[in-house]
Amino acid sequence: MAEGLFSANRRIIAGLLVNLLSSICIVFINKWIYVHYGFPNMTLTLVHFVVTWLGLYICQRMNIFSPKSLQIRRIVWLALSFCGFVAFTNLSLQNNSIGTYQLAKAMTTPVIILIQTTYYKKTFSTKIKLTLVPITLGVILNSYYDVRFNVLGTVFATLGVLVTSLYQVWVGAKQHELQVNSMQLLYYQAPLSSAFLLGIIPLFEPLTGDGGIFGPWSLPALVTVLFSGVVAFLVNLSIYWIIGNTSAVTYNMFGHFKFCITLVGGYLLFHDPLSLNQALGILCTLAGILSYTHFKLVEQEEGKSRLAQRP
């Protein structure tokens, strides 16, 4: 029994490590690709989608999950929002410092709460709403004092937050509506999103010549791009595995650790400048995120206790 427990714990630690390394690596690899190779953004997103679908196809052949038949028309908007979510967050990374990119993503929580309150009539406690103040204040403080601040980067970061928030709300709703898990949904989403991108890439990015998908790319550039696709798939797979084998709470708490590591890595690897006011903004946002998680966990536990006490 002790041996089985040790083996289970070892698997959980291995899953957390895979998620930690892949989540941090994908940010740094993508930034490296933009800075050193200038690879087109939408094409990189398309590579990620195709590799993710191939990875999921291999997973279902290995019986890691069973695909469920879905009507394409029921996930069209979800697939479109998936395109926007990945493309805009990549554009935000391309046009902002890693610190600003990472902090902008923290705004997803307030926007999700706003969407759920406005359109889904969901209610949140005053404590939860108050945690949004330091999150928002910290992001504004960091952006205001970021010496690499630019309008285009801010536009992409804002669009990324809005579309990501919509996507996350819709994913939860669709999983419940269609009675599928995240891998079953992504198995259909990824190829559909790839088809949408294939149709619009020629309108925004060159196909041949310098900067085009069929341009004269060096072997290291192509290998790095393909590697980033594999890492993107590992991120998706490890998220699913962690939540399935631990809990959403463990994943969220682990997310705060990744948040800090990614920020530090950005300043060390890409020499992003960091002022005292930016550091205060980062601490402010982190305090808000930790408070939000704490109050959310307390409320979940109270909800479970009330259910358990019912006759």
Side-chain angles (χ1 to χ4, degrees), residues 218-238:
S218 65
L219 184 61
L222 293 174
V223 169
T224 309
V225 167
L226 283 173
F227 180 61
S228 77
V230 173
V231 174
F233 167 67
L234 286 175
V235 172
N236 288 318
L237 187 65
S238 59

Side-chain angles (χ1 to χ4, degrees), residues 157-170:
T158 304
L159 288 170
V161 167
L162 291 172
V163 180
T164 301
S165 302
L166 273 174
Y167 174 73
Q168 289 190 14
V169 170
W170 285 348

Side-chain angles (χ1 to χ4, degrees), residues 56-74:
L56 287 170
Y57 179 75
I58 292 166
C59 283
Q60 68 97 5
R61 296 293 294 178
M62 292 170 66
N63 295 319
I64 293 173
F65 78 101
S66 300
K68 186 175 178 179
S69 182
L70 298 175
Q71 292 179 316
I72 299 299
R73 63 180 179 81
R74 298 185 74 178

Side-chain angles (χ1 to χ4, degrees), residues 261-275:
I261 295 285
T262 307
L263 284 174
V264 171
Y267 297 120
L268 292 177
L269 289 177
F270 295 94
H271 308 293
D272 292 340
L274 178 67
S275 68

Side-chain angles (χ1 to χ4, degrees), residues 27-294:
V27 176
F28 296 148
I29 292 168
N30 285 357
K31 188 70 175 177
W32 184 272
I33 288 168
Y34 296 139
V35 171
H36 295 279
Y37 300 126
F39 200 82
N41 178 278
M42 285 189 184
T43 304
L44 182 65
T45 304
L46 177 62
V47 170
H48 287 183
F49 287 172
V50 171
V51 174
T52 293
W53 182 80
L54 287 172
L56 287 170
Y57 179 75
I58 292 166
C59 283
Q60 68 97 5
R61 296 293 294 178
M62 292 170 66
N63 295 319
I64 293 173
F65 78 101
S66 300
K68 186 175 178 179
S69 182
L70 298 175
Q71 292 179 316
I72 299 299
R73 63 180 179 81
R74 298 185 74 178
I75 58 167
V76 166
W77 285 107
L78 190 66
L80 279 169
S81 66
F82 188 49
C83 290
F85 146 53
V86 180
F88 285 131
T89 49
N90 280 347
L91 283 165
S92 173
L93 178 61
Q94 186 177 1
N95 290 276
N96 291 308
S97 65
I98 286 179
T100 298
Y101 156 81
Q102 195 72 5
L103 250 69
K105 282 169 68 179
M107 284 300 294
T108 304
T109 301
V111 175
I112 285 174
I113 288 176
L114 184 65
I115 291 169
Q116 289 184 327
T117 304
T118 309
Y119 295 101
Y120 292 88
K121 307 303 175 190
K122 194 172 177 181
T123 55
F124 294 89
S125 67
T126 305
K127 281 190 241 181
I128 292 288
K129 289 175 183 174
L130 285 174
T131 62
L132 306 184
V133 175
I135 293 174
T136 309
L137 193 65
V139 172
I140 292 168
L141 197 61
N142 175 76
S143 301
Y144 185 79
Y145 288 103
D146 187 355
V147 295
R148 293 186 183 173
F149 175 82
N150 65 90
V151 175
L152 188 62
T154 304
V155 169
F156 286 137
T158 304
L159 288 170
V161 167
L162 291 172
V163 180
T164 301
S165 302
L166 273 174
Y167 174 73
Q168 289 190 14
V169 170
W170 285 348
V171 159
K174 281 293 176 187
Q175 279 184 232
H176 181 72
E177 178 192 328
L178 302 171
Q179 293 297 295
V180 291
N181 62 39
S182 56
M183 288 183 90
Q184 289 171 325
L185 197 55
L186 195 57
Y187 186 69
Y188 280 88
Q189 240 179 263
L192 189 57
S193 296
S194 300
F196 286 138
L197 277 181
L198 272 173
I200 62 171
I201 281 174
L203 302 174
F204 294 96
E205 295 175 355
L207 294 178
T208 56
D210 288 338
I213 186 171
F214 300 113
W217 298 106
S218 65
L219 184 61
L222 293 174
V223 169
T224 309
V225 167
L226 283 173
F227 180 61
S228 77
V230 173
V231 174
F233 167 67
L234 286 175
V235 172
N236 288 318
L237 187 65
S238 59
I239 287 170
Y240 170 80
W241 192 89
I242 288 169
I243 293 173
N245 288 272
T246 56
S247 68
V249 172
T250 302
Y251 176 70
N252 275 301
M253 293 305 290
F254 197 59
H256 303 328
F257 177 60
K258 291 187 292 184
F259 178 88
C260 298
I261 295 285
T262 307
L263 284 174
V264 171
Y267 297 120
L268 292 177
L269 289 177
F270 295 94
H271 308 293
D272 292 340
L274 178 67
S275 68
L276 179 62
N277 288 319
Q278 276 183 279
L280 288 172
I282 290 167
L283 289 172
C284 192
T285 298
L286 192 57
I289 293 169
L290 289 169
S291 301
Y292 171 83
T293 307
H294 170 71

